[in-house]
């Protein structure tokens, strides 16, 4: 195993975070039961969600791009598997995860720190 220098440590943390995020995504996908997927309309989705969100709340989420949605004409449809994954991924990030994500963003965008 290669010895890391202090200057290489932020990049190593970013790579480790990216790998863990990929593993978490795969585990979440694998943990879903093998039942047939189904479609919800807006009323069914509101009843299915744990917090029993109201229709105006869901419309707000759709408008903000927060919730996965499919649209046919004027009707909204929600795929159960996508909603389940969205709910599972909704946990609050730790401080370390937020820092690693910010560092990764800065690295990708090529932003230089002002020194």
């Amino acid at each position: 195993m290669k010895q890391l220098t202090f200057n290489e440590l932020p990049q190593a943390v970013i790579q480790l975070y990216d790998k863990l995020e990929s593993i978490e995504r795969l585990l979440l996908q694998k943990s879903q039961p093998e039942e047939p997927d189904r479609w919800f309309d807006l009323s069914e989705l509101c009843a299915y969600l744990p917090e029993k969100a109201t229709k105006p709340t869901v419309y707000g989420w759709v408008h903000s791009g927060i919730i996965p949605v499919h649209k046919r004409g004027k009707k909204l449809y929600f795929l159960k598997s996508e909603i389940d994954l969205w709910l599972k991924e909704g946990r609050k990030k730790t401080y370390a995860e937020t820092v690693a994500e910010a560092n990764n963003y800065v690295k990708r965008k090529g932003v230089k720190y002002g020194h």
Side-chain angles (χ1 to χ4, degrees), residues 38-101:
R38 65 174 280 216
W39 291 96
F40 293 135
D41 64 18
L42 184 59
S43 298
E44 291 170 323
L45 175 71
C46 290
Y48 178 74
L49 291 172
E51 68 274 8
K52 307 299 182 218
T54 64
K55 289 180 181 182
T57 298
V58 175
Y59 279 126
W61 293 342
V62 168
H63 179 73
S64 300
I66 294 172
I67 192 167
V69 64
H70 299 264
K71 190 172 179 184
R72 286 276 186 201
K74 294 183 178 183
K75 284 212 45 134
L76 301 176
Y77 298 97
F78 305 87
L79 198 55
K80 182 182 180 301
S81 61
E82 293 175 353
I83 296 301
D84 289 342
L85 187 60
W86 174 72
L87 288 169
K88 288 177 184 176
E89 290 178 342
R91 73 174 182 81
K92 188 175 185 314
K93 293 179 180 163
T94 66
Y95 177 75
E97 289 171 332
T98 304
V99 168
E101 193 172 276

Side-chain angles (χ1 to χ4, degrees), residues 6-65:
F6 182 75
N7 290 334
E8 295 172 325
L9 192 56
Q11 182 60 34
V13 170
I14 290 169
Q15 289 174 348
L16 182 61
Y17 176 76
D18 289 343
K19 287 181 182 182
L20 283 174
E21 201 172 50
S22 296
I23 292 169
E24 180 182 34
R25 208 173 298 117
L26 286 171
L27 287 173
L28 284 173
Q29 290 171 351
K30 294 281 183 189
S31 69
Q32 292 184 359
E34 294 297 323
E35 63 185 50
D37 213 354
R38 65 174 280 216
W39 291 96
F40 293 135
D41 64 18
L42 184 59
S43 298
E44 291 170 323
L45 175 71
C46 290
Y48 178 74
L49 291 172
E51 68 274 8
K52 307 299 182 218
T54 64
K55 289 180 181 182
T57 298
V58 175
Y59 279 126
W61 293 342
V62 168
H63 179 73
S64 300

